Amino acid sequence: MTPSPHERAAALRRQINAHSHRYFVLHDPIITDAEFDALFQELQALEAAHPELRTADSPTWRIGSDLAEGFAKARHAAPILSLANAFSAEDLADWETRNKRIAPEASWAYVVEPKFDGLTIVLRYEAGVLVQACTRGNGTKGDVVTANARTIQSIPLRIPVSGDQESPPLLVVRGEILFTKEAFARLNEARREAGEPIYANARNTAAGSLKQKDARKTAERALSAYCYDVVHSEGLSIDTRMAQRALLESLGFAVPPEVTRCEDLAAVQARLAWWEAQRPQLPYEIDGIVIKVDNLALERSLGIAGKDPRGMVAYKYQSEEATTRLLKVVSQVGRTGRVTPTAHLAPVFVGGVTVTHATLHNYDLVATMDLRLGDLVRLKRSGDVIPYIIGPVSSARTGEEQAVTPPSVCPASGDPLVREADTVDLLCPNTTCPERIFRSVTFFASRGGMNIDGLGPRTLRLLIDTGLVSDEGDLFTLTAEDLLPLEGIGEKKTALLLDAIRAAKDRPLAQTITALGIPGLGETMARAITKAVSSVSGLAAIAQQVRDAATSAAQQIPPLEDTFTELLLKSITSADPAGRAVRLTTSEYTDFDAPLHEAVQPCFARALEAIRPLVQIDGVGPSLVGAILAWFSDARNTAMLEKMQAAGLRLEEAPPAASSASLEGRSFVITGTLPTFSRKDARAFIEQHGGRVTGAVSSKTSFLVAGKGGGSKRAKAAALGIPVLDESALRALADDSGS
Ligand code: IVH
């Protein structure tokens, strides 16, 4: 008998939620992505036809919707408390002594959990359905973020996720929202590739991602949630923390991993040492360890001190934050002319290193934080992230502190700085600013760029000051006669440097393109671009065609002179499933009369055709295309390329000579140390045989090539059932797949 739409929708919801749980919480999927997608699409279609079937626990909420939620406030079912801190073994002993005075005869077993560095979420389930999610707020009332929380895959939409257990009539749980280290790194990688500024702090980014007006934005961020407390419930009787955790886990929540029960404080101390050692390898950031009395009746009888329940304590890693003095703020000019403030600090030991400098990103931020010279500032260093300043300790001010004034002229060239509309950055507009030249040639010659040995900062400054080098192209026409008269540069150094420069003429094209320093264009993208457009002149030609199209369009509609490229970039859409087909929607320039708009349509069509090879590359979006067009439209850059061309640099590449196509259509991830191949060699080998190499293991990965080490990728591959090859198996596969 065919089920009714109602029954079918219910069955689909159940299956999909159970499969998501297996994938995102248990990391143990039992169906393929394609099978999952098919179920999901079936449910979407059913709900589209019968909107009344879209219940609160429908997994289709996971993708978010643009129905902006204005963040109403809601009162919590019980106060959302905080935790007292402990920083040492003595603090912990004091804590226990104080407690034992209150409850002398109790049994004192503890539960030891990781303290996630994220933000609190409070989830309310009525009759098993997630009906509300709130932030902590002031502890009494929080912001309602239900639509956003529903997009987080490890938050169950209905409990129990599977099995035939009864759901309690009411359950309010507390958990932590965070980015795993990998998800955060991937987000930043994507931003880097797109030329967007990277995020320094995972916790703040998680908070920002959760509080998006448009839940679809939250859905794009791969947030995770771990649940560690029952705030309020009806129909449950649980005696211990351990039992509570087991219950949450069985209902389908992701719970803190590696939680242990310790009989006494000595055992707790041993466990703290274990966590400390694990910390660098953990997939998530922790800022401490939470120690809770296991017995919940005991916890209740201990009561609350202020806002902190006495029955638990946060053992915090102290070294992460420090206070120090802000000595001065120095402006630095970057290779693109951006002028950024750097904080010079009184040396302070934090997170295992001595910190003397921190970037302040931009002067707006300095103003927002109200930083003043001489301030005592709070500094944070988390994981391997660069240290940053949290803010001033305003209460420690003496009145002697001085305001930080943004510079009005470039510290290197003296030119008045400009600020482009809609940006927070100050720019030195002088393309011949010696500091800009220094930075951009340094980047060009660096290891990640053309790898020119022997061009140290002192030599380079000399070359710039004497006018021998005014851009990267000038390096290639330097002669012994130029170098020998310079102070401190003898015959030997001259010969070495000239050799190194000569060698750099023959770098692979992708390496050269990366070295040019086009904003947002990293090595991976450069490689993909060289495949699509096999020469630098090809890229220049694309930019020229777009400029020509803009010129003809501006003859019809003069304002297009300035806005043509912007409109063109806006029309790049990734929504088209057929593979980023470029199109222009009229809504983007409704300012123009219809007939005029028709007249410029062919110009847009031509320009779209010109950029198509770029747009079709996976991962190339509007901002990167814009950066490439802008770079190749700058006369200084084209002049520089002419110098390089004249000097005989390799600026084109024969389309890749696939030595066979035996690996075509297969996607590989490389991890660990291989016996003879370097990572680069392995990648080249796979690509020569027509295969693709990506950075992260996903269900689309065909093989993981693994050497020594490579733990997390191996585990992921195992979880997804992806075959693992060693180096010789890879060679064998490349050899016989062809025949
Ligand atoms: S228990 C009554 N357990 O740390 C307090 N909190 O500094 C209940 N946190 O606001 C909190 N991991 O957001 C608890 N395993 C964990 C935690 C944890 C992270 C957060 C929580 C709290 C903050 C207190």
Side-chain angles (χ1 to χ4, degrees), residues 81-83 113-116 120 174 176 228 290 292 309 312:
L81 303 170
S82 43
L83 289 175
E113 300 183 352
K115 182 172 178 330
F116 300 103
T120 289
R174 175 175 181 171
E176 199 82 354
Y228 48 72
V290 187
K292 306 176 175 176
M312 46 183 108

Side-chain angles (χ1 to χ4, degrees), residues 45-58:
L46 254 180
E47 289 177 350
H50 309 274
E52 74 282 2
L53 295 180
R54 195 174 189 204
T55 53
D57 63 342
S58 170

Side-chain angles (χ1 to χ4, degrees), residues 533-577:
V533 184
S534 47
S535 66
V536 167
S537 55
L539 288 172
I542 292 175
Q544 184 63 48
Q545 284 160 21
V546 172
R547 280 200 305 281
D548 290 347
T551 311
S552 350
Q555 279 162 6
Q556 316 273 350
I557 306 177
L560 279 177
E561 179 83 57
D562 299 325
T563 55
F564 185 87
T565 309
E566 203 183 309
L567 289 170
L568 179 74
L569 296 176
K570 271 198 194 152
S571 71
I572 299 176
T573 161
S574 55
D576 192 323

Side-chain angles (χ1 to χ4, degrees), residues 79-85 112-121 136 174-178 203 226-229 231 241 256 259 285-292 299 307-309 312-314 316:
I80 298 305
L81 303 170
S82 43
L83 289 175
N85 291 333
V112 180
E113 300 183 352
K115 182 172 178 330
F116 300 103
D117 192 8
L119 53 138
T120 289
I121 188 87
R136 178 173 191 277
R174 175 175 181 171
E176 199 82 354
I177 305 270
L178 48 86
R203 191 189 171 282
Y226 288 97
C227 291
Y228 48 72
D229 193 26
V231 174
R241 279 279 159 199
V259 171
E285 293 285 358
I286 61 175
D287 59 347
I289 298 295
V290 187
I291 301 144
K292 306 176 175 176
E299 183 193 308
K307 291 190 161 185
D308 309 328
M312 46 183 108
V313 69
K316 291 266 278 218

Side-chain angles (χ1 to χ4, degrees), residues 297-514:
L298 173 59
E299 183 193 308
R300 271 190 303 276
S301 73
L302 288 169
I304 295 168
K307 291 190 161 185
D308 309 328
R310 291 197 182 85
M312 46 183 108
V313 69
Y315 178 84
K316 291 266 278 218
Y317 294 124
Q318 181 183 32
S319 49
E320 291 296 303
E321 270 183 46
T323 348
T324 189
R325 194 67 68 183
L326 175 63
L327 302 177
K328 56 180 176 177
V329 173
V330 174
S331 297
Q332 279 201 332
V333 188
R335 67 188 154 84
T336 55
R338 248 180 74 189
V339 176
T340 50
T342 302
H344 289 216
L345 304 164
V348 59
F349 194 71
V350 52
V353 294
T354 301
V355 173
T356 53
H357 295 83
T359 170
L360 289 166
H361 300 286
N362 59 66
Y363 281 95
D364 272 16
L365 186 69
V366 176
T368 313
M369 288 197 288
D370 184 28
L371 268 193
R372 303 183 199 169
L373 299 177
D375 260 340
L376 203 59
V377 292
R378 289 205 301 134
L379 188 82
K380 180 159 179 154
R381 187 171 176 277
S382 52
D384 37 20
V385 177
I386 24 167
Y388 66 97
I389 289 178
I390 302 168
V393 184
S394 321
S395 58
R397 284 197 174 137
T398 62
E400 300 283 296
E401 296 78 12
Q402 280 164 12
V404 177
T405 31
S408 53
V409 299
C410 172
S413 68
D415 290 276
L417 297 178
V418 295
R419 183 167 169 159
E420 286 182 348
D422 300 331
T423 70
V424 288
D425 295 322
L426 293 173
L427 278 181
C428 171
N430 182 354
T431 47
T432 62
C433 167
E435 192 63 20
R436 272 184 77 160
I437 297 174
F438 176 76
R439 298 270 167 194
S440 86
V441 180
T442 301
F443 178 83
F444 181 77
S446 70
R447 289 230 152 166
M450 296 298 254
N451 197 4
I452 302 177
D453 259 357
L455 191 63
R458 209 189 67 87
T459 309
L460 181 55
R461 291 230 190 253
L462 266 177
L463 293 171
I464 294 171
D465 291 347
T466 49
L468 283 165
V469 166
S470 62
D471 66 25
E472 293 82 330
D474 289 336
L475 294 176
F476 297 98
T477 49
L478 288 174
T479 61
E481 291 74 58
D482 291 333
L483 296 172
L484 283 171
L486 299 179
E487 206 189 305
I489 303 193
E491 295 215 356
K492 187 153 169 230
K493 189 161 171 56
T494 298
L496 284 174
L497 181 56
L498 289 177
D499 265 357
I501 292 175
R502 212 170 297 122
K505 289 186 184 176
D506 205 33
R507 299 278 184 251
L509 182 57
Q511 195 176 339
T512 310
I513 290 180
T514 312

